Amino acid sequence: KPSIKLESTVPEVSTPDALQNPVIVGDHSENLKAKISDIWQENGRPYWAQERFDCLLFNVGKLRIAAPLVVLGTILKVDTNFTTLAGQPDWSLGIMKNGKTNLQIVDTAKWLMPEKYEAGFKESIRFVISFMDLEWGLACSDVQSAMTMEPGNVKWRVNHKVRPWIAGTVIDEMCCILDMEILRLMLTDIGL
């Protein structure tokens, strides 16, 4: 099984670059569609799912999520409050220290599914999952385990206009698989 690095951090006050709102609306879906074609292969799977792949299972409130390990960074245990910054979007929880850098923490539930957001989610946050080579982290309530998945056991998405961050669904595990590359694009490249 893949090893998972678990760290404890203390936030430090500093001002990161301005956050951008990653919600996909209107014409932005066409920009995203062009980027998706670079990531997804002709067989309808992302490049990281051409063979068996490892995922980390975690919970965001009541939603169970799997994320491919190939693009994840570190799992950080939240042991203090985030350092909040004025004027940030409501899905921004603030920043948290990760080694020599500051991670911008996303309220994952509010960012990905604002229509199903439950007010108590912030109190349940115990971990932050970082992206490899990005200064962003997803807040989650529980980290479960890493597991190997077979591409044939996943119902892969064909329509990326609605919730493009879902790569597919694993019915047996009752979870969705995050398309971490699309999340990276939503946070950085396409400037939404």
Side-chain angles (χ1 to χ4, degrees), residues 71-140:
V71 293
L72 293 182
T74 304
I75 299 169
L76 304 166
K77 186 172 182 177
V78 176
D79 54 8
T80 62
N81 292 325
F82 303 113
T83 303
T84 57
L85 301 170
Q88 301 304 312
D90 66 351
W91 50 262
S92 171
L93 292 172
I95 58 173
M96 153 180 212
K97 190 73 174 165
N98 181 22
K100 294 182 180 181
T101 63
N102 287 325
L103 285 179
Q104 300 173 43
I105 308 303
V106 173
D107 184 335
T108 312
K110 187 173 280 190
W111 188 53
L112 296 180
M113 299 186 76
E115 72 281 2
K116 294 186 178 183
Y117 188 74
E118 295 180 11
F121 174 68
K122 285 184 184 178
E123 287 74 37
S124 73
I125 295 171
R126 294 180 33 222
F127 297 95
V128 167
I129 299 171
S130 71
F131 294 83
M132 190 175 296
D133 303 323
L134 273 184
E135 294 178 359
W136 291 91
L138 300 178
C140 64

Side-chain angles (χ1 to χ4, degrees), residues 25-100:
V25 293
D27 296 334
H28 294 299
S29 61
E30 289 305 313
N31 294 332
L32 187 58
K33 186 176 180 182
K35 298 281 187 179
I36 287 171
S37 66
D38 295 335
I39 297 168
W40 285 64
Q41 306 297 306
E42 288 184 22
N43 65 0
R45 299 179 195 158
Y47 73 90
W48 43 262
Q50 298 307 301
E51 298 177 2
R52 295 172 109 195
F53 59 97
D54 295 319
C55 278
L56 175 69
L57 295 172
F58 61 97
N59 293 329
V60 174
K62 295 177 183 174
L63 180 64
R64 189 169 187 211
I65 297 176
L69 288 180
V70 69
V71 293
L72 293 182
T74 304
I75 299 169
L76 304 166
K77 186 172 182 177
V78 176
D79 54 8
T80 62
N81 292 325
F82 303 113
T83 303
T84 57
L85 301 170
Q88 301 304 312
D90 66 351
W91 50 262
S92 171
L93 292 172
I95 58 173
M96 153 180 212
K97 190 73 174 165
N98 181 22
K100 294 182 180 181

